[in-house]
Amino acid sequence: MRIGIMAALQQEIADLLALMGPQMHVTRIGQRDYYEGRIGEHDCVVVLARIGKVAASATCVTLIREFKVEQIVFTGLAGGLGPEVKIGDVVVASELMQHDFNASPIFPRYEIPLLGRAHFVADEALCQQLMSAARDYLQQVDGFAKDVSTEVIAQFGLNTERDVAHEVEADVGRDVDAGQGKLARTEKTTESELSTELNSNNATKASEVARDKKDEVHTIHIHQGMILSGDQFINTHNEANRLHVEHPHALCTEMEGAAIAQICYEYDVPFAVMRVISDKANDDASVDFDSFLNHVARYMSSGILMRWLGV
C-alpha cells in the first residue's frame, strides 16, 4: 500500500526525509517537491503541503491523482480549544469541519455545497494506529524522553505518564525506606502492625506525591475528537473563546485538516489527521508556536509517525 504523508511545515517532515536516504526520488509539481521512497517496509510519498486549505487541497489531489497513494496522513501543529487540551497534547481527529465556511442562506452554515455535509469522518483504523503509536512514543525510553532535552521539557512544563509514575515510585520508595527504619527501632511494634502501618503510609504518600507531581507539570495526553480548520491563525483570547463557544466539542483549531478530509472524502481515500498542541490559540500563540515547533513538535510528529511505520 502506498502512503501519502503531508505536513504544513518543513520541520515536521525533515526526519522522515532523512530516513528515505539517497535512494528517494524527487518530483516537482506545482512548486512542491514530492519525495518518493521507502520508510521501513512502506512505500511512501512525503510532501510539504504548505499552509492553508487551498495549498493543502492542491497537494492532496496531486498525491491521489499523480502518485496513486492509497491512504493519507497529515501531521502538524494546532491551537488547543477548551480547558482539557493543553500544550504538548496529541489530538487525533475523529472528524473535521471548516469553521470559516459559510454559504448561507443558499446552504446551511458550514455545510459544503453539493456534498450535503459539514463534518468529514477520519478512518477509524488509521486513527487507532496513530494513537497506539503516540502512546508508544511517549512511554518508551527511546521515544520522547530521548528526543527532547530535559531543559526543554521543563521549559514547557511537560511530562509523560511514564515519567510521573517513575518519579512517584522513587519518592515513595525513599519515604518507605525511612519509615521502615523508624518503625524497626520501635521495640513494641509487632510484625503485623509494622506491615499495616507501612502499607497505609505507602498508599497515602503515593497519593500525595502523585497529586504534587500533577500540579507541577502537565502530563501529555492523547485525545481523539473533532478538529476545526480555517484560513486564519487563531491567536487572540476572543477568537479562541468564540470558537469554543460555537463548537464546544472541538479540541483544537488549525489551517489544513478539514480541506484534506473533504478531498479524501470525494476521492474515497482513507485518511487521518494528527496534531500536536503548540499553543492555546490565544494572545501567547505566536510566542509559543515557533519555540515549540523547533524544540518539541518536530520530534513528536516524526517520532510518532516512525512508530506507526515500524521504524
Side-chain angles (χ1 to χ4, degrees):
M1 177 177 290
R2 183 164 246 210
I3 302 170
I5 299 175
M6 304 172 62
L9 298 167
Q10 183 66 33
Q11 293 94 324
E12 295 161 342
I13 62 171
D15 291 338
L16 297 178
L17 297 181
L19 286 175
M20 284 185 167
Q23 296 80 17
M24 69 180 175
H25 179 71
V26 183
T27 303
R28 190 164 181 81
I29 301 175
Q31 301 183 31
R32 291 163 178 75
D33 291 327
Y34 293 80
Y35 300 88
E36 299 175 79
R38 297 194 70 80
I39 301 178
E41 300 299 318
H42 300 277
D43 181 20
C44 299
V45 184
V46 180
V47 60
L48 181 65
R50 302 187 183 184
I51 298 171
K53 294 187 296 180
V54 173
S57 298
T59 309
C60 189
V61 169
T62 303
L63 278 174
I64 294 169
R65 292 181 59 84
E66 301 294 330
F67 295 94
K68 312 301 182 187
V69 300
E70 299 166 85
Q71 60 183 22
I72 289 177
V73 172
F74 188 98
T75 184
L77 301 180
L81 297 173
E84 73 276 17
V85 180
K86 301 184 184 300
I87 292 176
D89 284 358
V90 177
V91 177
V92 177
S94 58
E95 58 181 344
L96 301 100
M97 188 191 77
Q98 299 181 47
H99 68 76
D100 58 352
F101 194 94
N102 189 355
S104 63
I106 303 172
F107 296 92
R109 188 180 183 187
Y110 308 124
E111 183 179 301
I112 305 301
L114 307 182
L115 294 183
R117 62 179 58 234
H119 299 81
F120 295 89
V121 179
D123 184 81
E124 183 60 21
L126 274 178
C127 292
Q128 292 303 318
Q129 291 169 18
L130 287 174
M131 292 177 71
S132 176
R135 283 190 290 270
D136 287 346
Y137 176 74
L138 290 172
Q139 294 174 3
Q140 292 179 3
V141 294
D142 60 343
F144 180 80
K146 173 178 173 290
D147 291 341
V148 182
S149 70
T150 54
E151 293 80 9
V152 170
I153 291 173
Q155 175 188 344
F156 287 97
L158 303 177
N159 218 329
T160 65
E161 291 181 1
R162 175 185 178 278
D163 295 330
V164 172
H166 285 186
E167 290 176 23
V168 170
E169 182 181 354
D171 286 352
V172 170
R174 284 192 292 271
D175 281 7
V176 168
D177 289 342
Q180 285 175 332
K182 180 179 179 181
L183 290 172
R185 288 192 297 272
T186 305
E187 296 179 357
K188 294 183 179 180
T189 302
T190 66
E191 183 177 346
S192 176
E193 289 170 335
L194 176 63
S195 176
T196 300
E197 186 165 350
L198 276 175
N199 288 337
S200 176
N201 288 345
N202 193 359
T204 301
K205 182 61 181 177
S207 177
E208 291 173 352
V209 173
R211 184 173 61 250
D212 291 341
K213 293 295 182 184
K214 188 174 182 181
D215 291 339
E216 292 172 8
V217 298
H218 164 58
T219 301
I220 297 173
H221 289 100
I222 304 166
H223 308 268
Q224 185 179 19
M226 185 166 73
I227 292 180
L228 301 178
S229 303
D231 280 318
Q232 56 187 136
F233 183 79
I234 305 298
N235 64 345
T236 69
H237 288 286
N238 288 340
E239 283 297 304
N241 288 338
R242 178 184 64 81
L243 287 178
H244 180 56
V245 169
E246 293 179 356
H247 311 282
H249 300 298
L251 299 180
C252 63
T253 179
E254 36 91 309
M255 300 179 66
E256 298 87 20
I260 293 167
Q262 179 181 334
I263 296 299
C264 288
Y265 172 81
E266 294 181 6
Y267 282 90
D268 195 24
V269 172
F271 76 93
V273 175
M274 180 184 72
R275 293 290 186 170
V276 178
I277 303 301
S278 62
D279 56 82
K280 288 295 291 179
N282 55 25
D283 298 279
D284 299 322
S286 60
V287 176
D288 296 336
F289 185 90
D290 289 336
S291 179
F292 191 84
L293 168 64
N294 290 306
H295 297 104
V296 181
R298 62 170 300 172
Y299 300 108
M300 290 184 68
S301 294
S302 59
I304 293 170
L305 287 181
M306 285 189 274
R307 288 290 196 285
W308 174 60
L309 292 167
V311 295

